[in-house]
Amino acid sequence: MIIVEKTDPHHPQATALLRQSHALMQELFPPEDNYYLEIDDLVAPDIHFFTAREGDQILGTGALKVKSGYGEIKSMFVDEAARGKGVADALMRQLEDTARELKLPVIKLETGNLLHAAHKLYARHGFTTCSVFGDYVEAKSSIFMEKPLCN
């Protein structure tokens, strides 16, 4: 059974997954197109950080950053060995539920153009492509997506 709960990103297993995610992004994309948050930045008051676990093993991470007028999905990552188990879906449901509880009208995200499994996940959860938002700039390796929420 997959349990999703608020977690400190400094938890050793969460930190290990975040470092794996950062390493992958550094491998796939140029430095100027990497928009991940550093681990210390994930403990800010405007960020809700969650992990998904089975038993004592953390399998995935995800965060919702509360912005003015929307929420932004950050730090979505699932351990490679756990992919296909529904971990990302469970995290997405929790992030959307949190955004609804906060009465955010829309959730948005930026993802890499090479992350095809992520594109499918986001589309499955009702996200569609949108224009650049927030502090982002147009980049060949970025795809921007959003999902309006009916509160």
Side-chain angles (χ1 to χ4, degrees):
M1 178 174 177
I2 297 169
I3 306 293
V4 177
E5 59 196 355
K6 275 196 169 186
T7 309
D8 184 333
H10 292 107
H11 182 289
Q13 290 180 41
T15 296
L17 284 178
L18 290 165
R19 287 190 178 138
Q20 284 179 38
S21 173
H22 297 173
L24 178 63
M25 297 308 109
Q26 291 167 1
E27 178 183 315
L28 294 175
F29 305 109
E32 64 273 14
D33 292 353
N34 275 311
Y35 298 109
Y36 58 79
L37 295 174
E38 296 296 338
I39 294 164
D40 287 342
D41 296 333
L42 290 167
V43 294
D46 62 340
I47 295 182
H48 301 264
F49 182 81
F50 296 92
T51 56
R53 65 177 172 82
E54 266 185 335
D56 293 336
Q57 186 66 40
I58 292 177
L59 305 174
T61 64
L64 178 72
K65 182 175 177 81
V66 179
K67 306 281 246 175
S68 179
Y70 65 94
E72 183 180 355
I73 304 293
K74 300 293 290 181
S75 302
M76 279 294 298
F77 187 74
V78 174
D79 183 80
E80 192 172 345
R83 293 180 187 160
K85 292 178 139 187
V87 173
D89 288 316
L91 284 162
M92 287 300 298
R93 284 190 299 273
Q94 178 62 60
L95 294 169
E96 183 174 334
D97 287 348
T98 301
R100 288 181 188 283
E101 288 169 14
L102 295 169
K103 303 206 180 318
L104 296 170
V106 63
I107 44 179
K108 300 182 180 205
L109 61 88
E110 179 274 338
T111 189
N113 64 333
L114 302 177
L115 302 175
H116 303 294
H119 305 162
K120 290 178 186 174
L121 168 73
Y122 300 136
R124 190 167 64 247
H125 283 268
F127 284 80
T128 57
T129 56
C130 67
S131 60
V132 66
F133 63 89
D135 296 332
Y136 292 104
V137 295
E138 290 288 343
K140 284 193 266 184
S141 62
S142 287
I143 294 175
F144 301 95
M145 302 181 86
E146 68 181 3
K147 178 180 181 177
L149 302 177
C150 300
N151 288 307

